[in-house]
Amino acid sequence: MRSLCTWILVAAMVGLLGTAGPEAQEIKGPIKIVVPYPAGGGSDVVARLIADKLKDALGQAVIVENKPGAGGRIGTEYVKGQPADGSVMLVVNPALFVVAPVVFSKLAYDPETDFAPVSVIQQYQFCVSVPAASTIGDVKALIDWIKKNPNQANFGSPAAGSLPHFFGLMIAKTAGVEMVHSSYNGSGPLVTALIGGQIPIGVDAYDAQSAYHPDKIRILATAGTARKSSDIPTFIEQGFPEIEGVGWNAIVVPAKTPKPVIAKLSAAIAQAVRTPDVAEKIRGLGSDPVGTTPEEAAAVFKKDRERWVPIIKASGFKAE
Amino acid sequence: MELLSNLALGFQTAVSPMNLLYCLVGALIGTLIGVLPGIGPVQTIAILLPTTFALPPVSALIMLAGIYYGAQYGGSTTSILVNVPGEASSVVTCLDGHQMARQGRGGAALTIAALGSFVAGCFATVVLALLAVPLAELAFRFGPAEYFSLMVFGLVGSVVLASGSLIKAVGMIVVGLLLGMVGTDVTSGAHRFTFGIPELADGVGFVSLAMGLFGICDIITSLEKREKRDILKSRLTGFWLSRRELREAAPAVVRGTLLGSLLGILPGGGAIISSFTAYMIEKKSSRRPESFGKGNICGVAGPESANNAAAQTSFVPLLTLGIPPNVVLAMMAGAMMIHGIQPGPRVITSNPALFWGVIVSMWVGNLMLILLNLPLIGIWVRLLTVPYRLLYPAILVFCCIGLYSVNNNTFDIGLTALCGLLGYGLHKLECEPAPLILGFVLGPMMEENLRRAMLLARGDPSVFFTRPLSLAFLVLALLLLIAVALPGIRRGRDKAFTE
């Protein structure tokens, strides 16, 4: 039934476009956006929002396929072997493209040689927070507290080897203090522990914590160059210019995809992301819509490798 | 009186024709996917999530919630009739429910499961309406030490799940713990026992394990025997309960409901722990503990009421705090965010119609479910009259579809086949799979919390004894252990088993 609908849709699209003249970079449909995580998660929702708009821009049926498993590595490896003609795209993030190559000795893909960047679709900030009952009011007070209470200086992150984990280490390293890391099984358990006072410091993406600020927890700082919320200053404003970093979701394709095809996809994606209703929904998820060119995406990947790899290596973290 | 006006607002929202329709659709889909082995509410909600984007947020949530608790109803059907637990929380229903079906009392088992679920659903709705906010605070009292001690209590108690040798039950728990170790270690992020297979990085799938150990294994063992259909000869249509059964089951329903309402609030395995604990309480408090595992109706009534109550009160942390306690509710949180509603403490004040509408719709949905399910029981039971040569291939096909849809990966199907062989081996050795499942579920949580508690306390184990809640669970576990180990009592226990 579903495939029938798809075919009717495809046929209708082809019929409509038949008169549009020969396109230099025709992409054979239907186009797949592979999300290497289960349906319903953050990157899945964004992929579905974009897929809806790409349909019209590319004149093809665009479907989202979930290939979850092994923290996204199964889906990533799957797309590596798919046709490089623009018909299969993949949603990736720093965990897959920056952290995994450092912490896995045998990784089935190489982010730099197996894939070509298309566009960064959204960015999200990290933040550091404390329970609302805590007396700590800003980052300086937090650092002082850590120095005075080395036995209680624990920080929680949503997962071991996640970017918030390494962001916590970045804070400790920059401030010259030591914190013990405890990973939780996701953002929900972390915020529960934080509200209940089971752990004194939490580090996570801003959108995972913003709903509880300021009634249940206090967000001390966000990690972007500009404020995310008018009442929460950035680390930079609080005198820590080195503490900066954002996470992102980006679209990539298999490496051998022709340049003109990538350009066409990138333009369509950037346009989709900037459509007012899509942009509004992405903001509603707590992140910022971006929509870059392939070159800008490559620059983001490179900059983040330079930023995070030394911290990850220094932590000695290994997944195997 | 504020409660009354709130409930009135909820009724206004929930019984609007459109929301009634979505509630029915959700409950119906939920029942269906609950009945189909393998396809659970997680996959269904994932698939349907995008279609709810176009609905008003209240209708979307009412439908998704309907799928969730509808699946709890339907899930017991396959557990009872074909011994395939669709979800972790219905594993214990297999133990006595399927035995009842084999004795021709499948209809009665389904009826008590539905009635128990209904009572539990109604009670849990009231709990949600009255106590949502104060109850939410309970979750915060549970730090790593409390969780660890609760799990210890659960594991010690799980030996009563076995109706055979004590040594074998303990052995099975240990095997379950070992299987639970496979995958990524939460504390360090290291891969354990994955043998370089990326699919194993997430651990052995629960659905694969439960389906293999129960359903697939059951099919293999049945093929050994000649087709014997006693079920046909006995009262196929007798799906109403006898007076004695009703008298026995009623207190079990009440106990299960209370337990489930309380434990459902805990993030993590609320529904699972509550169904196992309910079974444990029924067996321990019964005057005929030896009849458990052989078709005791309390073994169905208690856990089924508990898991339904827990499924409903698990909405407490989501609706009051925005914290999803399990995967299904995490997806509902996603649905709320897509509609521009930030799940969190402000939902009650900023969207009262949504909050109370969803709560009241649960009661409405439970009513629909019982009206829907009681007449269906007669039809479900007829399923047993289908010859095995047709029924088994059909079950296998549905299992494969369900398994594939979990991760869109064939690996899970192969893993299930292996688990089926493991189950067959255990069956030949007369080892029971239920304690293994509990060890598998509780083990990783127990380890995670033990290590977190020790890490945060800088290696000081006194943290387990100085926190009152944690101490209470440990004392309870110790008492239970003494009860099992005391020679006098133990003789009684062994005697009970040999009978």
Side-chain angles (χ1 to χ4, degrees), chain B residues 108-446:
Chain B
L110 288 174
T111 306
I112 193 62
L115 284 177
S117 297
F118 178 67
V119 172
C122 292
F123 182 77
T125 306
V126 177
V127 170
L128 256 176
L130 281 175
L131 298 170
V133 180
L135 270 180
E137 298 296 322
L138 181 70
F140 296 134
R141 307 221 167 257
F142 271 72
E146 284 79 11
Y147 272 113
F148 171 74
S149 303
L150 174 67
M151 304 291 159
V152 170
F153 174 64
L155 274 190
V156 170
S158 67
V159 291
V160 307
L161 284 173
S163 50
S165 137
L166 187 63
I167 301 290
K168 280 182 180 171
V170 174
M172 283 299 94
I173 293 174
V174 173
V175 173
L177 290 174
L178 283 175
L179 282 173
M181 306 261 294
V182 176
T184 309
D185 170 26
V186 172
T187 311
S188 72
H191 286 192
R192 300 190 294 202
F193 309 117
T194 56
F195 308 104
I197 302 168
E199 279 83 356
L200 280 180
D202 299 327
V204 176
F206 174 81
V207 181
S208 297
L209 188 68
M211 209 179 262
L213 289 184
F214 284 89
I216 309 288
C217 162
D218 206 42
I219 291 176
I220 303 176
T221 49
S222 300
L223 288 176
E224 270 186 349
K225 301 175 209 143
R226 285 200 53 209
E227 190 163 318
K228 217 171 52 187
R229 305 302 296 259
D230 329 341
I231 304 157
L232 292 183
K233 291 171 208 141
S234 44
R235 299 154 292 171
L236 193 66
T237 48
F239 62 81
W240 199 245
L241 303 164
S242 73
R243 189 167 294 187
R244 194 177 67 93
E245 281 172 328
L246 204 59
R247 204 172 49 236
E248 271 183 359
V253 168
V254 174
R255 283 189 291 263
T257 302
L258 291 174
L259 191 76
S261 301
L262 201 63
L263 290 180
I265 291 151
L266 295 181
I272 307 164
I273 297 171
S274 66
S275 66
F276 276 102
T277 314
Y279 189 85
M280 191 169 94
I281 288 178
E282 290 312 317
K283 190 170 175 180
K284 275 280 157 199
S285 67
S286 172
R287 260 172 287 166
R288 302 179 292 118
E290 72 283 356
S291 67
F292 277 79
K294 293 171 191 151
N296 189 313
I297 196 159
C298 295
V300 179
E304 271 302 310
S305 311
N307 72 26
N308 217 57
Q312 228 142 316
T313 52
S314 65
F315 278 83
V316 168
L318 177 72
L319 289 176
T320 55
L321 304 161
I323 297 164
N326 60 40
V327 192
V328 176
L329 294 189
M331 275 192 280
M332 268 186 243
M336 285 167 85
M337 280 159 84
I338 273 295
H339 285 291
I341 299 164
Q342 184 69 51
R346 275 168 243 160
V347 172
I348 303 183
T349 43
S350 64
N351 297 74
L354 177 115
F355 182 82
W356 294 104
V358 170
I359 287 180
V360 171
S361 89
M362 288 180 190
W363 185 79
V364 176
N366 273 296
L367 191 67
M368 285 180 181
L369 278 169
I370 194 123
L371 295 178
L372 203 72
N373 277 304
L374 282 182
L376 278 181
I377 287 174
I379 301 171
W380 293 131
V381 175
R382 286 197 180 275
L383 207 66
L384 292 174
T385 63
V386 177
Y388 282 163
R389 68 192 147 79
L390 298 177
L391 187 64
Y392 284 164
I395 294 175
L396 287 177
V397 167
F398 278 121
C399 284
C400 288
I401 295 172
L403 283 164
Y404 182 77
S405 70
V406 175
N407 284 332
N408 285 342
N409 199 325
T410 48
F411 179 81
D412 295 314
I413 299 176
L415 187 64
T416 309
L418 268 180
C419 291
L421 290 179
L422 172 71
Y424 179 71
L426 294 179
H427 177 82
K428 285 283 153 192
L429 296 168
E430 290 176 359
C431 294
E432 297 189 26
L436 186 156
I437 295 266
L438 194 63
F440 175 78
V441 172
L442 295 186
M445 289 198 256
M446 186 164 126

Side-chain angles (χ1 to χ4, degrees), chain B residues 442-493:
Chain B
L442 295 186
M445 289 198 256
M446 186 164 126
E447 187 210 346
E448 182 190 330
N449 284 296
L450 169 69
R451 290 173 65 182
R452 183 175 300 140
M454 297 297 277
L455 189 72
L456 298 185
R458 300 289 187 276
D460 178 8
S462 71
V463 66
F464 297 107
F465 308 107
T466 49
R467 301 185 56 135
L469 260 176
S470 167
L471 183 67
F473 282 124
L474 286 179
V475 169
L476 278 176
L478 192 68
L479 290 178
L480 201 62
L481 205 62
I482 293 171
V484 173
L486 267 184
I489 302 169
R490 188 169 169 190
R491 215 175 303 130
R493 184 191 142 91

